[in-house]
Amino acid sequence: MTVHAIRGAVQVSADDRSRILEATTELVTAVMTRNSLVSDDVVSMLFTMTPDLTAEFPALAVRKAGLYDVPLLCAVEIAVPDSMPRVVRLLAHVDVDRGRSGIRHVYLDGAEALRPDLEQ
């Protein structure tokens, strides 16, 4: 097995607890589904949020989705002027038996603009 990193992001419609949890759940579910992952494949997940999102930790959505034994960390994204607002970013480390070309990064709900070079 090889450890790979999977990137993802989702733009949240508002700084609201339920919207952050819903958007994060949507992102994590899409990463897991598109990469055919189960919880045992996930080594860890790092979340960052733009400074305008403060209503909830995105890691709570992962716990509610049942990933109880995965190490999670949340941090604040760098406040770059004129950057996309209300974004939750994800860096997931996974242990899978496939090449890097078999990894699918996931950008949702407007965050696709962050990586126009990727096929969604």
Side-chain angles (χ1 to χ4, degrees):
M1 296 288 199
T2 303
V3 174
H4 291 288
I6 301 174
R7 284 295 319 269
V10 62
Q11 190 171 34
V12 181
S13 59
D15 183 24
D16 174 80
R17 181 180 190 272
S18 64
R19 291 185 181 179
I20 291 169
L21 293 175
E22 288 168 10
T24 304
T25 299
E26 178 186 17
L27 176 62
V28 172
T29 300
V31 166
M32 298 292 286
T33 301
R34 292 183 191 181
N35 288 282
S36 301
L37 300 172
V38 296
S39 63
D40 284 346
D41 297 328
V42 182
V43 175
S44 65
M45 290 183 176
L46 169 66
F47 293 92
T48 64
M49 294 196 313
T50 51
D52 53 359
L53 292 176
T54 60
E56 187 55 86
F57 294 103
L60 179 60
V62 179
R63 295 291 182 235
K64 287 186 170 203
L67 297 174
Y68 301 111
D69 59 349
V70 174
L72 307 172
L73 181 66
C74 299
V76 177
E77 188 73 28
I78 299 168
V80 175
D82 301 318
S83 62
M84 184 179 289
R86 300 178 321 280
V87 176
V88 175
R89 289 176 172 87
L90 164 68
L91 177 64
H93 298 98
V94 299
D95 190 2
V96 292
D97 189 23
R98 69 184 84 147
R100 189 176 291 174
S101 64
I103 297 298
R104 298 277 318 270
H105 305 285
V106 178
Y107 291 80
L108 305 171
D109 299 335
E112 299 90 346
L114 296 170
R115 290 296 307 269
D117 58 312
L118 296 177
E119 284 187 32
Q120 296 293 314

